[in-house]
Amino acid sequence: MKRKFVTNLILLLFLNLLIKPFWIFGIDRTVQNMVGDETYGLYFALFNFSMLLNILLDVGITNFNNRNIAQHNFLLPKHLSHIISLKFLLAIVYAVFTFGVAAIIGYNKVQFHLLFFLVFNQFLISFTLYLRSNISALHLFRTDSLISVLDRSLMIIICSLLLFTNVFNIEFTINWFVYAQTIAYAITALITMTIVLQKSGRIQIQFNPAFFMVFLRKSYPYALLILLMSFYNRIDSVMLERLLPHPLGKEQAGIYAQAFRLLDAVSMFGVLFAGLLLPIFSKMLKQKEHVGQMVKLSFTLLIVPAIILSISSIYYSGEIMDALYTSDTGEYADILGILMTGFIGIATTYIFGTLLTANGSLKQLNIMAFTGMVINLILNIVLIPRYQAFGSAYASLVTQLFTGGVQLILAVKIFRLQINFRFIFQLLIFVGVVLAIGTFSKNIGHWFTGYLTMILASVVFAVLIKLFNLRDLYKIIRYE
């Protein structure tokens, strides 16, 4: 299992490092620089609003299906026949609720137009993720890895033509940015569906209310968990745009988006870990295998980069923001360091939250997520009117560290994981040394040279103190 995890993780990281950073920094960032913070802030707030209720598209189906099919492969044709029709019904429910809430909070025609396509995009994303859950549950990780970058690859091609050429002879607007996403997501969904049908054989789409009720009864705890986590992960920009007066709200949401873009970029690595670990943990738990070593390996591989990226972002927040954006970021550069520190909590969640999900510990996870949502909402309501985007950043930091810590404690308690004090001591020493390296690196001439020096020196130190044991990783890949 460790060999399968590490080798497929390497492939996933390679593909995503090849494609997604170019999308985020080459396309998405360029769009914000071109249309301005206020216009992009409106899009960013609407995008996050469309995500708040997108659990209605899935109601926990994807996570439950991944765990279930990983343990019972033979159920794929039967479940696929029923769930596809269920997904379309849920799409209608999601659209009705989302547009209803949008009308209540007072969105105008322009906002509704963008929201319509963003809602459709959320359906395409959700449908593709469900289809991919079947592929990963069958442990076809290489196929899933290629699909994971297909939508972004298509978006890069389409948006590059729109942004950097005159092929279509149109003036680029935020609307075209959304349309390009719709086309890419639709093509990806069709290709993924074709692959799944090849594995399942011929299916007959069935509308079976009895099956729907039984399946939803099993999956709703997953749905509640995702809904609660979506709120405390995505509501910040929506509250900025709604709580602050026009046009300050849109502008502050755009400023928040600048820093959040980098957090979103590094968080994708956590998503990759979780996508691989959920079926692996599920199968190991079913076979009553001890998960301790797999947990330590995956946590180490994610928490060490999280510490390096978080601390380096604090030291170089101003330089990074100035290099990426054309608008004046000086006053708000520290938001990046605040948000990126929260990545330590996010990384912890992706490992221990995935383990708890694979175990079916949904009651504990939902209590944790509900508490996190309440904390986040209260902090945003209190801090946004006074501190604006900074307020949302601090709310996010507190919430991520709290929820990550609670999940770690739950996992240790439920699985009776042995506390490795030597490993904890290594991490604390590592944090101290990375801080020292960061201080030293600021004295190096050009900031980018100092930044790279800090990253590389931190990685080398992690290897020297055997947080990253290259020999063991090689043995896992080569022999196990």
Side-chain angles (χ1 to χ4, degrees), residues 225 228-229 232 349 353 356 362-373 375 399 402-404 406-407 410:
L225 175 63
L228 295 171
M229 293 180 74
Y232 72 69
T349 291
L356 292 164
L362 277 302
K363 180 180 179 180
Q364 295 92 329
L365 284 172
N366 277 315
I367 293 172
M368 173 278 303
F370 178 77
T371 306
M373 182 191 72
I375 290 171
T399 306
F402 169 79
T403 53
V406 170
Q407 287 168 93
L410 284 172

Side-chain angles (χ1 to χ4, degrees), residues 278-350:
L278 183 58
I280 289 174
F281 279 150
S282 297
K283 195 166 187 177
M284 290 179 73
L285 291 171
K286 185 193 176 189
Q287 296 173 350
K288 301 189 184 305
E289 296 178 37
H290 185 62
V291 297
Q293 288 299 314
M294 179 63 77
V295 170
K296 184 187 175 186
L297 172 65
S298 56
F299 181 66
T300 304
L301 289 174
L302 190 55
I303 198 64
V304 171
I307 291 170
I308 296 172
L309 289 169
S310 299
I311 296 176
S312 63
S313 296
I314 294 172
Y315 275 91
Y316 290 94
S317 59
E319 292 87 346
I320 292 170
M321 296 290 277
D322 285 342
L324 290 176
Y325 301 108
T326 56
S327 59
D328 183 13
T329 58
E331 184 183 350
Y332 301 99
D334 289 343
I335 293 174
L336 175 63
I338 298 167
L339 286 177
M340 289 296 288
T341 303
F343 182 52
I344 294 173
I346 293 171
T348 304
T349 291
Y350 277 125

Side-chain angles (χ1 to χ4, degrees), residues 400-419:
Q400 300 298 352
L401 293 179
F402 169 79
T403 53
V406 170
Q407 287 168 93
L408 189 156
I409 293 168
L410 284 172
V412 170
K413 183 178 179 181
I414 291 172
F415 295 95
R416 297 177 181 176
L417 298 174
Q418 186 176 2
I419 299 175

Side-chain angles (χ1 to χ4, degrees), residues 91-108:
I92 297 172
V93 174
Y94 162 70
V96 169
F97 272 88
T98 301
F99 290 129
V101 174
I104 291 170
I105 65 177
Y107 281 152
N108 58 34

